[in-house]
Amino acid sequence: PIIAYQDRYNFRQRNAHLRSSYANYIQFTHNYNNLLYTGLYFSRVTDFFNFVYFEQNDATKVYITTKMNLKNVTTYGLTFNATTGLTRCWLVNFDVNASYQRYKDYSGHLNSGTVDALFKINQQFTLPANIAINLYGQYEVPTRYSIYYYRSTYYMRGSISKKMFDNAATLALSLDDAFNSSRDRYNSNYINLNAVGYDKRETRIARISFTYQFGKTSVN
């Protein structure tokens, strides 16, 4: 149970008494001509141990971030993935994962259900002169994760590349998180703690790369 201080009112502590989790998972999937994939799944985790828990001393205003076991987490979900070529040079992939989740703790303070949905789209453009463009975007609806309620998030990434020297080399430029929108905004109201959080990392990053493959390509 190592203690890590962030400041004098806030520290994290490991829980040496966490119990192992046990999960039951069942999934039905269907594949249509390798173009359309659909799935239904169900999972139930008992003694879910990845539950971040807060303990607060109302007199000293010191709170401890630790982990404890939830009684169970139940999830019902639907997946959908489709790939289609809109034109000869434009390929689009759609991916959707929608689910309903319910969290229960042992104390009875937490018994909440939530809907979550994550939408992804990936577009590939093949242009003349060995130029390729890739655009990726995702959006997640507002959802709850255990005692946290998260606001919606979205993220976009783009890249352009060109093959050179008889396709032996590739020059590429990419931009992650183009709108600098990847962040976590959440709040929690659990027992005697009312917390608001905002987490932001440096995610908008541009990269340029050059790769060159040499040697015989005819050898198996």
Side-chain angles (χ1 to χ4, degrees):
I2 298 173
I3 297 177
Y5 286 91
Q6 292 185 287
D7 54 58
R8 62 178 180 171
Y9 296 106
N10 175 16
F11 65 88
R12 296 176 179 270
Q13 183 175 17
R14 302 290 181 91
N15 183 357
H17 303 288
L18 285 176
R19 297 183 298 274
S20 299
S21 294
Y22 295 91
N24 292 291
Y25 187 86
I26 184 171
Q27 182 178 25
F28 299 94
T29 61
H30 179 261
N31 173 12
Y32 178 75
N33 289 341
N34 292 326
L35 296 175
L36 176 62
Y37 297 85
T38 54
L40 294 172
Y41 63 91
F42 166 83
S43 69
R44 185 177 178 87
V45 183
T46 56
D47 278 331
F48 180 76
F49 63 78
N50 200 27
F51 171 55
V52 178
Y53 174 70
F54 297 106
E55 295 177 353
Q56 177 174 270
N57 187 317
D58 293 335
T60 63
K61 305 303 181 184
V62 173
Y63 73 92
I64 305 170
T65 303
T66 183
K67 287 189 176 182
M68 63 178 291
N69 291 96
L70 285 182
K71 186 175 182 179
N72 58 65
V73 178
T74 306
T75 305
Y76 305 87
L78 167 68
T79 60
F80 173 85
N81 185 283
T83 301
T84 181
L86 300 182
T87 65
R88 293 180 58 184
C89 61
W90 185 9
L91 185 66
V92 182
N93 176 264
F94 300 94
D95 187 90
V96 179
N97 190 335
S99 63
Y100 174 81
Q101 304 164 7
R102 177 162 288 276
Y103 300 88
K104 293 183 180 180
D105 65 0
Y106 281 100
S107 65
H109 292 96
L110 178 64
N111 184 3
S112 63
T114 184
V115 175
D116 188 21
L118 179 62
F119 303 89
K120 301 178 182 178
I121 180 171
N122 190 52
Q123 303 179 76
Q124 299 177 6
F125 302 88
T126 304
L127 304 180
N130 288 329
I131 297 176
I133 297 176
N134 183 269
L135 297 175
Y136 171 84
Q138 71 176 42
Y139 172 79
E140 185 172 13
V141 302
T143 188
R144 182 178 295 277
Y145 182 75
S146 63
I147 64 173
Y148 299 102
Y149 178 78
Y150 282 86
R151 296 173 63 180
S152 61
T153 61
Y154 69 95
Y155 168 87
M156 294 194 69
R157 179 181 68 238
S159 66
I160 181 171
S161 63
K162 176 177 173 57
K163 291 188 177 297
M164 309 165 63
F165 308 134
D166 295 328
N167 295 332
T170 302
L171 179 65
L173 174 65
S174 65
L175 178 62
D176 291 339
D177 194 11
F179 298 103
N180 201 27
S181 58
S182 181
R183 68 198 69 187
D184 287 328
R185 298 169 296 172
Y186 56 89
N187 61 75
S188 176
N189 192 353
Y190 183 72
I191 307 180
N192 64 335
L193 180 68
N194 190 339
V196 177
Y198 179 91
D199 296 334
K200 181 72 180 80
R201 297 183 180 183
E202 187 59 62
T203 53
R204 183 162 60 179
I205 302 173
R207 297 180 176 89
I208 185 170
S209 64
F210 178 80
T211 59
Y212 182 80
Q213 299 178 354
F214 55 90
K216 293 183 178 181
T217 59
S218 59
V219 179
N220 293 328

